Amino acid sequence: MLGSVARWFRTHIPGVIPSAAVLQAERGISRASSSPCDSTRHDRPMLRRLLRLALLSLALFAFAGAGDPASRFNELGHQLMCICGCNQILLECNHVGCPDSDGMRNELMSDVTRGDSDSLVQQAFVQKYGPTVLAAPTTTGFDRTAWIMPFAALIFGFGLVIFVVRAWKNRPAPALADGLRPLRGAELEQFRDQARKETDL
């Protein structure tokens, strides 16, 4: 009776935990009527709990520091370019007397401390300074070709090299006039030795 009450609590009211007496009675009943199949049924919730705990730990590890303004400032600052013409990353601009980097850094810090999302900050910089402010092109629209073309050119180059090597390797023997045939093997070595002797000084 008490075991069925505990089961009813678990299935119908998930937030309510039955009392210790009810749980103890349920354990006593389940132990009395346990079979080899029951042990695997009780191991599954434990496995699920361990899996959930592992996923939660992984998520905490992955997102640790994601809300920290200093780490966001550093990450976003390395995704933006300085517009002074030095062609350097915003946070790495060492251009002496750069007229733009200090203002851009201050603007970035104010956006990050205000709590704007990363995409909103990047969009604001693109609207103000143009698309060249992004260190890497976006993966949408025509900018996608900037990501695809290097790999396509590399594959095309490898294919061209393979084609040229095979064509060169499979070329026919040179045609000789008047029925002459090319020399090979011992006959060729004999003529080489004769040429060495005749040209020896």
Side-chain angles (χ1 to χ4, degrees):
M1 169 82 180
L2 289 176
S4 62
V5 171
R7 273 187 241 113
W8 185 88
F9 267 108
R10 284 192 181 143
T11 56
H12 292 88
I13 309 173
V16 176
I17 300 172
S19 67
V22 173
L23 288 174
Q24 197 172 29
E26 180 187 354
R27 287 186 192 125
I29 292 169
S30 65
R31 283 187 190 134
S33 64
S34 67
S35 67
C37 295
D38 288 341
S39 65
T40 58
R41 200 175 331 136
H42 291 295
D43 290 343
R44 287 183 186 155
M46 185 64 153
L47 183 62
R48 287 184 188 145
R49 286 184 191 139
L50 288 174
L51 183 61
R52 287 178 187 159
L53 181 65
L55 287 174
L56 180 64
S57 301
L58 181 65
L60 285 174
F61 179 73
F63 295 115
D68 181 26
S71 66
R72 285 190 62 223
F73 174 78
N74 189 27
E75 183 180 329
L76 283 171
H78 281 90
Q79 294 174 3
L80 300 172
M81 298 290 291
C82 181
I83 60 164
C84 71
C86 64
N87 293 326
Q88 293 184 3
I89 301 293
L90 177 60
L91 295 184
E92 297 174 5
C93 178
N94 58 5
H95 182 190
V96 177
C98 179
D100 299 312
S101 64
D102 289 335
M104 291 176 73
R105 286 180 188 139
N106 292 337
E107 185 180 345
L108 178 62
M109 182 53 87
S110 68
D111 289 348
V112 168
T113 54
R114 187 173 44 235
D116 292 347
S117 68
D118 293 355
S119 62
L120 186 63
V121 172
Q122 287 180 343
Q123 287 174 2
F125 271 81
V126 167
Q127 285 178 354
K128 186 171 182 179
Y129 302 108
T132 57
V133 77
L134 295 176
T138 61
T139 57
T140 59
F142 186 72
D143 289 341
R144 191 175 295 152
T145 58
W147 292 102
I148 295 172
M149 285 308 290
F151 297 109
L154 186 67
I155 291 170
F156 177 74
F158 279 134
L160 184 64
V161 166
I162 290 170
F163 175 75
V164 167
V165 166
R166 283 188 178 170
W168 184 45
K169 188 177 176 183
N170 296 333
R171 69 174 186 237
L176 299 174
D178 297 331
L180 296 175
R181 59 181 178 79
L183 301 175
R184 302 206 189 278
E187 197 175 19
L188 180 62
E189 287 300 319
Q190 178 185 4
F191 282 112
R192 283 186 178 157
D193 289 338
Q194 183 181 352
R196 277 192 214 109
K197 289 177 188 174
E198 292 176 359
T199 57
D200 193 47
L201 297 176

